[in-house]
């Protein structure tokens, strides 16, 4: 079974990792200049660097259909700079998964494939897709919904180690981001993590820098640009998160359940 995943950030990569281990052939798409924060566990890094390994699986950049098929034969996950996911029309996958996490539907249709799954708010099962996977932390995280929408976006980050919004670092203004720290660094409250133009982006809690936008990225004021994990476990920076694993389990359930009806 061939699957296209729209988006190749950390949550999409967690989905890809689980499905790859289950024997599915995975193709991913993202922006030419991805905006992932948790870059150490995001296959979209292959777009810029040519290849990216998350845990024990490697993705490589592909630029066209022929390269996609070649990389699949070699056992890699192809990742394309293809924000419109035009590769779907070229390779006609069995499953399309929208894991962009844009909090709204950017163009996914229930007619894109035999099975269409979407992650998070902005989608309604039986209208936009065949199943929606809940992405909000809490009792229903990872639940597959076959009729109706996911919970609406609250704009409040999930609670980790007793902190929610405080752990998220946001760009202080419009401009080009320049980092001072790197992912995996232990930081303290008040530490400057980076600058946008001459304005500092400062950590408001102690912890490990689990995510940070790429150096040189153009940002808008308020854009999520970093993530401090108050648990302080450096190894978590290089592992797929509990949230990604929960969501990937819901995706796998939906594929298996919906494929019975084909």
């Amino acid at each position: 079974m061939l699957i296209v995943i729209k988006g190749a950030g950390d949550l999409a990569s967690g989905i890809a990792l689980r499905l790859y281990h289950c024997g599915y052939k995975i193709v991913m798409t993202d922006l030419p200049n991805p905006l992932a924060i948790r870059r150490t566990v995001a296959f979209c890094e292959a777009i810029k660097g040519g290849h990216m390994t998350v845990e024990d699986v490697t993705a490589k950049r592909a630029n066209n259909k022929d390269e996609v098929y070649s990389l699949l034969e070699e056992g890699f996950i192809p990742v394309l700079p293809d924000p419109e996911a035009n590769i779907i029309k070229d390779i006609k996958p069995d499953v399309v998964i929208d894991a962009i996490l844009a909090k709204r539907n950017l163009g996914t249709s229930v007619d894109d494939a035999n099975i269409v799954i979407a992650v998070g708010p902005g989608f309604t099962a039986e209208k936009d897709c065949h199943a929606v996977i809940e992405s909000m932390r809490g009792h229903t995280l990872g639940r597959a919904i076959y009729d109706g929408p996911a919970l609406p976006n609250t704009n409040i980050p999930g609670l980790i180690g007793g902190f929610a919004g405080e752990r998220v670092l946001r760009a202080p203004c419009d401009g080009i981001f320049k980092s001072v720290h790197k992912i995996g660094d232990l930081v303290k409250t008040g530490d400057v993590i980076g600058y946008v133009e001459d304005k500092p982006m400062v950590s408001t809690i102690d912890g490990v820098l689990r995510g940070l936008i790429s150096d040189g990225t153009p940002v808008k004021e308020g854009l999520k640009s970093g993530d401090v994990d108050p648990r302080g476990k450096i190894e978590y920076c290089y592992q797929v998160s509990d949230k990604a694993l929960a969501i990937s389990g819901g995706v796998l359930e939906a594929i298996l359940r919906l494929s019975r009806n084909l």
Side-chain angles (χ1 to χ4, degrees):
M1 183 177 281
L2 180 60
I3 299 173
V4 169
I5 301 177
K6 298 169 68 174
D10 64 299
L11 295 180
S13 297
I15 295 168
L17 195 71
R18 173 157 282 179
L19 297 181
Y20 180 94
H21 284 312
C22 290
Y24 295 108
K25 293 184 180 296
I26 310 298
V27 179
M28 307 184 79
T29 67
D30 211 304
L31 300 169
N33 294 298
L35 295 174
I37 303 300
R38 293 205 62 211
R39 294 180 290 110
T40 47
V41 287
F43 285 127
C44 63
E45 288 293 286
I47 290 176
K48 294 181 291 184
H51 61 87
M52 178 65 187
T53 299
V54 176
E55 297 193 8
D56 60 346
V57 176
T58 298
K60 291 192 174 184
R61 175 176 170 138
N63 296 295
N64 53 54
K65 179 173 68 173
D66 291 341
E67 291 181 7
V68 164
Y69 287 132
S70 177
L71 289 172
L72 287 172
E73 285 296 317
E74 294 173 23
F76 298 109
I77 294 177
V79 186
L80 296 98
D82 181 12
E84 303 300 324
N86 292 316
I87 194 66
I88 291 172
K89 299 173 186 176
D90 292 335
I91 65 175
K92 297 178 173 56
D94 304 289
V95 180
V96 169
I97 301 166
D98 189 320
I100 298 172
L101 276 297
K103 312 297 191 298
R104 58 193 177 95
N105 188 344
L106 297 178
T108 292
S109 167
V110 72
D111 299 318
D112 284 342
N114 288 330
I115 296 173
V116 179
I117 300 166
V119 179
F123 296 95
T124 300
E126 293 299 326
K127 177 187 174 185
D128 304 299
C129 53
H130 300 104
V132 179
I133 311 302
E134 183 56 64
S135 64
M136 185 179 292
R137 287 188 183 273
H139 182 71
T140 58
L141 174 63
R143 182 173 293 274
I145 302 163
Y146 301 96
D147 185 11
L151 292 171
N153 182 32
T154 64
N155 289 314
I156 300 173
L159 199 67
I160 292 179
F163 294 92
E166 305 97 325
R167 64 184 177 81
V168 174
L169 305 173
R170 297 191 181 276
C173 63
D174 296 358
I176 305 298
F177 177 73
K178 176 65 177 177
S179 63
V180 173
H181 284 277
K182 64 183 185 299
I183 295 174
D185 284 354
L186 292 169
V187 298
K188 296 287 187 182
T189 302
D191 283 357
V192 174
I193 306 303
Y195 291 89
V196 179
E197 303 308 318
D198 59 349
K199 292 189 177 181
M201 185 174 75
V202 178
S203 178
T204 60
I205 62 172
D206 298 353
V208 63
L209 191 59
R210 190 175 67 151
L212 190 65
I213 203 163
S214 294
D215 218 31
T217 300
V219 297
K220 293 289 187 181
E221 182 178 357
L223 179 72
K224 181 179 178 182
S225 301
D227 176 14
V228 177
D229 187 338
R231 296 170 295 187
K233 300 285 189 180
I234 296 174
E235 61 267 29
Y236 290 176
C237 299
Y238 306 98
Q239 296 173 345
V240 168
S241 70
D242 54 345
K243 182 175 181 178
L245 290 174
I247 291 172
S248 68
V251 170
L252 179 59
E253 176 207 303
I255 292 172
L256 295 173
R257 176 170 170 171
L258 293 168
S259 63
R260 293 183 307 189
N261 301 322
L262 296 180

